[in-house]
Amino acid sequence: MICNNCKQSYDDNLNACPYCGAAKAVTDNIPPQQYGQVPPQAYQANSPAKGTATGSLVCGIIAIAIGVFVPLAGLILGIIALTLGNKAKCMLPADQRGMATAGFICGIIGIVIAVIFWIINAVVAASMLSYLYY
Ligand SMILES: [Zn+2]
């Protein structure tokens, strides 16, 4: 078998080229219309989940950005990102969970940043108060 893409020869039993990943040339016994029918339906079924995943990622990024300045807002957005990310992960098939997972992780980072800066703010406020009093 010679790869159509990179011209390397490889084992006939493989379904794809091990050098560049290009699929083996399609043989005549598979009707091409079988490929065309499935993706639009799958896309339709997954689009609300994709919206949820996008929302999760956006909330997570904003949570990280805002958590430094307004820890309470960052905490709330982080929890929203975590909830949406988790929901989207349940709705999407395993190979399409990238954005949902990213949103989930951003939510966790957002919450951690919010908590850390909340503590820093409290410590700074306490040390400023003690500086004023002593
Ligand atoms: Zn190849």
Side-chain angles (χ1 to χ4, degrees):
M1 184 71 202
I2 307 285
C3 175
N4 287 333
N5 188 41
C6 67
K7 311 295 175 201
Q8 297 267 21
S9 69
Y10 62 92
D11 193 338
D12 277 355
N13 295 323
L14 294 169
N15 289 323
C17 171
Y19 301 100
C20 70
K24 200 161 152 181
V26 180
T27 47
D28 290 335
N29 55 9
I30 301 163
Q33 62 264 34
Q34 271 190 354
Y35 291 107
Q37 284 171 349
V38 181
Q41 288 168 351
Y43 181 77
Q44 283 293 332
N46 289 333
S47 50
K50 279 183 177 156
T52 308
T54 309
S56 168
L57 187 59
V58 169
C59 285
I61 290 166
I62 295 169
I64 293 168
I66 214 168
V68 176
F69 306 104
V70 191
L72 184 61
L75 191 68
I76 292 165
L77 281 166
I79 291 165
I80 294 169
L82 208 70
T83 311
L84 290 178
N86 200 35
K87 208 169 134 187
K89 271 205 284 188
C90 295
M91 290 155 86
L92 288 164
D95 59 330
Q96 290 173 41
R97 288 179 189 162
M99 198 185 276
T101 306
F104 188 82
I105 292 165
C106 285
I108 292 170
I109 296 168
I111 290 167
V112 169
I113 286 172
V115 169
I116 288 169
F117 277 84
W118 204 328
I119 293 165
I120 289 171
N121 286 353
V123 169
V124 168
S127 63
M128 280 171 88
L129 279 175
S130 62
Y131 179 77
L132 287 172
Y133 282 106
Y134 299 106

